[in-house]
Amino acid sequence: MPIIVNLDVMMAKRKMSLGQLAERVDITQANLSILKNNRAKAIRFSTLEAICKVLDCQPADILEFVPGAE
Amino acid sequence: MKNPTATMLARIMFYIVTAVFVINVAALIVLPVLFGLQAGHILTNGILSHDGTNSEALILTMFLEFCGVCTAIILWQARRILVSLRQGMPFKKENARYMKTAGISCFFISGAAFIRAIHNGIVYGVASFASYNTLFVPAALFAGLLCLVMAALFFQAAELKDDNDLVI
């Protein structure tokens, strides 16, 4: 999929683990893992908002468009 | 998300379908025994005999056995679907496969009823078409088509659910 999720980069910058982020964003660790590993098909604005609030970042810091990527 | 009403109804239906399945299997075992007893002239009047000849009883027994096996398959598939309903996970691709199997079994029942109707028509004349057996042909055919439509619905629902599960 051309949209790449760079969640692990932001998590490393903020020194936050997957479990901590999942708890603060109020989604399951499994779902967050799906998002982090680029297996998600879509993301809700509410989830994106929650992640950006917790990680104190912009959506562009997490989402990247790479044309031709699979 | 579980629906308590649907779960309760599924549980009731599960017990009913299981009971009917057990009765069906018991009948499949008892029927040839009844035929054997009738053929041995121990029972002179039984549900298997039309005019007392063994060949008619044999044809009827074979028809009932075949339909009984198909019905047992249908009931088993229904039981499997009801299990998933009780678990609160009805939209699975497996349920589409179960519905398709039930539909095909319905077609087999319709085919067997059709063959028997033709046989009766040849042996007893056109008047024999005005019987309950002839009704099985379109009824089972319609039930089979309905099952195939439900199978397609279940499949599409399963795909939508899979997509939705990947929306974070």
Side-chain angles (χ1 to χ4, degrees), chain A residues 40-44 47, chain B residues 163-168:
Chain A
K41 290 211 170 176
I43 183 169
R44 295 186 181 91
T47 307
Chain B
D163 260 356
N164 191 50
D165 283 347
L166 291 174
V167 175
I168 309 301

mmCIF file of all heavy atoms in Angstrom, chain A residues 40-44 47, chain B residues 163-168:
data_model
loop_
_atom_site.group_PDB
_atom_site.id
_atom_site.type_symbol
_atom_site.label_atom_id
_atom_site.label_comp_id
_atom_site.label_asym_id
_atom_site.label_seq_id
_atom_site.Cartn_x
_atom_site.Cartn_y
_atom_site.Cartn_z
ATOM 1 N N ALA A 40 -3.149 -2.294 8.220
ATOM 2 C CA ALA A 40 -4.478 -1.679 8.323
ATOM 3 C C ALA A 40 -4.945 -1.206 6.947
ATOM 4 O O ALA A 40 -4.141 -0.821 6.107
ATOM 5 C CB ALA A 40 -4.434 -0.498 9.292
ATOM 6 N N LYS A 41 -6.251 -1.249 6.754
ATOM 7 C CA LYS A 41 -6.810 -0.795 5.480
ATOM 8 C C LYS A 41 -7.239 0.665 5.568
ATOM 9 O O LYS A 41 -7.312 1.349 4.555
ATOM 10 C CB LYS A 41 -8.012 -1.651 5.100
ATOM 11 C CG LYS A 41 -7.652 -3.048 4.718
ATOM 12 C CD LYS A 41 -8.599 -3.610 3.687
ATOM 13 C CE LYS A 41 -8.047 -4.922 3.158
ATOM 14 N NZ LYS A 41 -8.906 -5.593 2.250
ATOM 15 N N ALA A 42 -7.557 1.116 6.774
ATOM 16 C CA ALA A 42 -8.002 2.496 6.950
ATOM 17 C C ALA A 42 -7.807 2.876 8.406
ATOM 18 O O ALA A 42 -7.638 2.011 9.271
ATOM 19 C CB ALA A 42 -9.468 2.645 6.551
ATOM 20 N N ILE A 43 -7.799 4.166 8.653
ATOM 21 C CA ILE A 43 -7.705 4.649 10.019
ATOM 22 C C ILE A 43 -8.771 5.728 10.209
ATOM 23 O O ILE A 43 -8.992 6.566 9.338
ATOM 24 C CB ILE A 43 -6.280 5.187 10.340
ATOM 25 C CG1 ILE A 43 -6.194 5.629 11.804
ATOM 26 C CG2 ILE A 43 -5.878 6.316 9.393
ATOM 27 C CD1 ILE A 43 -4.785 5.911 12.270
ATOM 28 N N ARG A 44 -9.430 5.660 11.364
ATOM 29 C CA ARG A 44 -10.463 6.657 11.658
ATOM 30 C C ARG A 44 -9.789 7.967 12.070
ATOM 31 O O ARG A 44 -8.700 7.951 12.685
ATOM 32 C CB ARG A 44 -11.362 6.174 12.791
ATOM 33 C CG ARG A 44 -12.166 4.944 12.438
ATOM 34 C CD ARG A 44 -13.158 4.590 13.544
ATOM 35 N NE ARG A 44 -13.894 3.387 13.172
ATOM 36 C CZ ARG A 44 -13.523 2.149 13.480
ATOM 37 N NH1 ARG A 44 -12.432 1.951 14.182
ATOM 38 N NH2 ARG A 44 -14.236 1.124 13.090
ATOM 39 N N THR A 47 -9.083 8.039 15.777
ATOM 40 C CA THR A 47 -7.877 7.293 16.190
ATOM 41 C C THR A 47 -6.630 8.114 15.864
ATOM 42 O O THR A 47 -5.711 8.207 16.703
ATOM 43 C CB THR A 47 -7.819 5.941 15.470
ATOM 44 O OG1 THR A 47 -9.044 5.238 15.658
ATOM 45 C CG2 THR A 47 -6.663 5.098 15.961
ATOM 46 N N ASP B 163 -12.863 -6.401 6.232
ATOM 47 C CA ASP B 163 -12.402 -5.044 5.897
ATOM 48 C C ASP B 163 -12.554 -4.116 7.098
ATOM 49 O O ASP B 163 -11.649 -3.332 7.415
ATOM 50 C CB ASP B 163 -13.260 -4.472 4.738
ATOM 51 C CG ASP B 163 -12.545 -4.602 3.413
ATOM 52 O OD1 ASP B 163 -11.381 -5.050 3.408
ATOM 53 O OD2 ASP B 163 -13.159 -4.265 2.390
ATOM 54 N N ASN B 164 -13.682 -4.234 7.766
ATOM 55 C CA ASN B 164 -13.967 -3.369 8.906
ATOM 56 C C ASN B 164 -13.013 -3.644 10.073
ATOM 57 O O ASN B 164 -12.631 -2.730 10.796
ATOM 58 C CB ASN B 164 -15.413 -3.579 9.372
ATOM 59 C CG ASN B 164 -15.843 -2.533 10.378
ATOM 60 O OD1 ASN B 164 -15.674 -1.332 10.143
ATOM 61 N ND2 ASN B 164 -16.368 -2.952 11.508
ATOM 62 N N ASP B 165 -12.636 -4.903 10.213
ATOM 63 C CA ASP B 165 -11.688 -5.264 11.295
ATOM 64 C C ASP B 165 -10.334 -4.617 11.082
ATOM 65 O O ASP B 165 -9.576 -4.437 12.031
ATOM 66 C CB ASP B 165 -11.527 -6.792 11.359
ATOM 67 C CG ASP B 165 -12.722 -7.457 12.028
ATOM 68 O OD1 ASP B 165 -13.523 -6.727 12.654
ATOM 69 O OD2 ASP B 165 -12.835 -8.698 11.929
ATOM 70 N N LEU B 166 -10.024 -4.312 9.819
ATOM 71 C CA LEU B 166 -8.736 -3.688 9.520
ATOM 72 C C LEU B 166 -8.829 -2.169 9.454
ATOM 73 O O LEU B 166 -7.911 -1.504 9.011
ATOM 74 C CB LEU B 166 -8.170 -4.255 8.207
ATOM 75 C CG LEU B 166 -7.729 -5.712 8.293
ATOM 76 C CD1 LEU B 166 -7.318 -6.225 6.919
ATOM 77 C CD2 LEU B 166 -6.594 -5.900 9.283
ATOM 78 N N VAL B 167 -9.947 -1.624 9.891
ATOM 79 C CA VAL B 167 -10.079 -0.179 10.045
ATOM 80 C C VAL B 167 -9.812 0.128 11.520
ATOM 81 O O VAL B 167 -10.560 -0.287 12.397
ATOM 82 C CB VAL B 167 -11.495 0.321 9.654
ATOM 83 C CG1 VAL B 167 -11.646 1.802 9.950
ATOM 84 C CG2 VAL B 167 -11.752 0.059 8.186
ATOM 85 N N ILE B 168 -8.700 0.838 11.784
ATOM 86 C CA ILE B 168 -8.277 1.065 13.166
ATOM 87 C C ILE B 168 -8.866 2.395 13.630
ATOM 88 O O ILE B 168 -8.712 3.413 12.972
ATOM 89 C CB ILE B 168 -6.741 1.083 13.237
ATOM 90 C CG1 ILE B 168 -6.181 -0.168 12.556
ATOM 91 C CG2 ILE B 168 -6.264 1.192 14.669
ATOM 92 C CD1 ILE B 168 -6.646 -1.494 13.138
#
